[in-house]
Amino acid sequence: MAPYLDEARIDDEDAIAALDSHQTLRGLATAGAQVREAIDLSAEGGVSRVAGGERPRSVLVASLGGSAVVCDVLDLLAEPGSPVPVSVRRNVPLPGWVGPLDLVIAVSQSGRAAGPLALAAEAARRGASLLTVGAADSPLADVAAQARGVHIDIGRGRSTSRTALWSLLAPVLLAAGELGIVDVGERVLLEAADRLDEVAEACRPSSESFVNPAKVLAADLAEGVPVILGDGPLNGVAAGRAASMLARTSRVPAISGELPDDAAQIVACFDGPFTTAYGASAAARGGSGFGNDGGSDIFTDPFLDGPASPRLGLLMLRDAAPDPMTREGAESAALADAVAEAAREAGARVSEVVAQPGHPLTRLAGQLATTDFAATYLALGLGLDPAVSPHVSDLRRRTGR
């Protein structure tokens, strides 16, 4: 059966404060401020000196866990017109082709993540240019100093990488912008910061459930098994981040995909046991077809037939319509509409989050912020502390990590 989300709890600021031990909502609300602080800290850290101010032969980015999306965003923004290849590496080994002509960017909120730290150390040994982003006075900062690279501090009060995303991402984008790899500079980042502030205001705890977009989305996601689908590369990145936040913050497993490549595998789920279409198919084969379809039959007895399974819930992340509309935009919108219509006909619950117009980074910022808030409200509504997982703590105890 579907989990129960207590809407009264997420509308009660005292209840939220009691449960949210690490002030996750407050951390998410500082995203815009993180961008502005990161601009200043990047200038102080010498971001203009990255790679000696010269364009490298290639760029390799290392980040994982809550900061993994940094790699994805840089790859997304660089892809349309970067004059050099950008690649992603989560862990060792460092590819053999990396050498003195290349730039390695290693990102870790604590400055102690084993993968980025090892990659940075190996890059330094080979003489590659190095940019590191993370806590000051950390092993990662030491590697950068020894290699005469550039280290950008993320500032104080960053408790987890999930709420420090923009402190980690903004310096990387500024450096890439300086090198001509992405079309991002201070103006674009400030525009994104304003968008993040707008979402934070709309999703603030004092905004009640029926008008707060993140609380509405959290209630929808609590209704079933979430599948998150982006309508293109930009929202594909947002979908991956949303699935990660749902798992890590809300403890709700989710799968994600991107149109058009993942249309078939997502639509195939509409035939499965979490839609009413499956119940109708079972009935046609001679089974009852009920008791496993989200409660579509009023005669279902939960004591005799067992509890109803949760329905599949499709979250569509959609981009702003191009102005003027292009052929590619029209085709993308038509495919997204078709998938959503098929989901509704199969009995899946469909929710949509549509980006507001702006630079690609600004549009992405709004999508990331909305789903980050939604995942956090879902955790709180389920009675969970968004930042503390007993099983993760136990795993660390068992493994010593």
Side-chain angles (χ1 to χ4, degrees):
M1 58 187 298
Y4 171 67
L5 181 136
D6 186 348
E7 292 190 18
R9 182 186 291 120
I10 60 176
D11 279 338
D12 185 334
E13 293 187 64
D14 291 336
I16 288 175
L19 192 56
D20 190 4
S21 66
H22 285 59
Q23 297 187 311
T24 303
L25 285 174
R26 181 182 292 274
L28 294 176
T30 66
Q34 289 177 34
V35 173
R36 298 181 185 95
E37 182 183 33
I39 292 172
D40 293 337
L41 290 172
S42 296
E44 293 171 11
V47 72
S48 61
R49 295 189 291 103
V50 170
E54 297 183 1
R55 185 175 294 162
R57 177 181 63 179
S58 69
V59 178
L60 182 142
V61 194
S63 64
L64 47 78
S67 60
V69 71
V70 172
C71 293
D72 301 329
V73 174
L74 181 59
D75 189 37
L76 168 77
L77 297 177
E79 186 176 6
S82 174
V84 303
V86 175
S87 59
V88 171
R89 193 78 177 184
R90 308 294 187 191
N91 214 325
V92 289
L94 188 68
W97 51 261
V98 174
L101 298 179
D102 305 300
L103 169 65
V104 172
I105 301 174
V107 180
S108 167
Q109 182 258 335
S110 66
R112 291 174 168 78
L117 186 58
L119 288 166
E122 177 61 16
R125 189 187 70 79
R126 296 188 197 176
S129 298
L130 188 61
L131 168 64
T132 60
V133 182
D137 302 320
S138 67
L140 190 63
D142 292 341
V143 169
Q146 292 166 12
R148 297 184 179 178
V150 174
H151 179 78
I152 306 299
D153 179 21
I154 60 170
R156 298 180 179 179
R158 308 291 183 256
S159 58
T160 73
S161 56
R162 281 173 285 149
T163 57
L165 169 61
W166 291 93
S167 293
L168 300 166
L169 176 58
V172 173
L173 295 180
L174 278 173
E178 289 273 355
L179 297 171
I181 295 168
V182 297
D183 178 25
V184 174
E186 184 173 325
R187 180 190 61 79
V188 170
L189 281 167
L190 290 174
E191 179 184 300
D194 290 342
R195 181 65 53 83
L196 291 166
D197 287 344
E198 291 169 6
V199 175
E201 173 66 18
C203 299
R204 66 191 185 280
S206 61
S207 174
E208 295 185 341
S209 293
F210 58 90
V211 295
N212 185 315
K215 292 181 181 180
V216 170
L217 182 55
D220 286 348
L221 292 169
E223 290 289 321
V225 179
V227 174
I228 304 134
L229 188 60
D231 67 353
L234 185 146
N235 279 301
V237 170
R241 164 73 173 191
S244 174
M245 285 292 287
L246 284 171
R248 187 66 177 83
T249 301
S250 314
R251 279 61 127 194
V252 173
I255 62 171
S256 64
E258 174 189 320
L259 293 177
D261 292 353
D262 297 323
Q265 74 179 43
I266 297 298
V267 171
C269 295
F270 303 163
D271 303 324
F274 299 110
T275 65
T276 53
Y278 176 83
S281 176
R285 293 192 303 269
S288 71
F290 302 114
N292 195 37
D293 63 357
S296 62
D297 182 11
I298 61 172
F299 298 108
T300 298
D301 187 328
F303 295 100
L304 298 177
D305 300 320
S309 294
R311 285 190 298 167
L312 184 146
L314 176 65
L315 171 56
M316 294 287 301
L317 300 180
R318 306 188 62 162
D319 207 353
D323 184 20
M325 178 61 74
T326 61
R327 177 181 176 183
E328 293 78 7
E331 290 175 350
S332 175
L335 178 57
D337 288 340
V339 171
E341 183 180 0
R344 292 187 182 96
E345 290 178 353
R349 187 184 189 98
V350 179
S351 305
E352 292 189 352
V353 178
V354 182
Q356 296 300 307
H359 184 279
L361 179 65
T362 303
R363 305 199 309 270
L364 179 63
Q367 300 294 79
L368 294 176
T370 300
T371 51
D372 281 359
F373 273 106
T376 304
Y377 280 122
L378 178 55
L380 294 166
L382 297 176
L384 301 169
D385 186 330
V388 180
S389 166
H391 282 88
V392 171
S393 300
D394 180 63
L395 179 63
R396 288 172 177 163
R397 180 186 61 78
R398 292 171 185 268
T399 60
R401 294 185 180 181

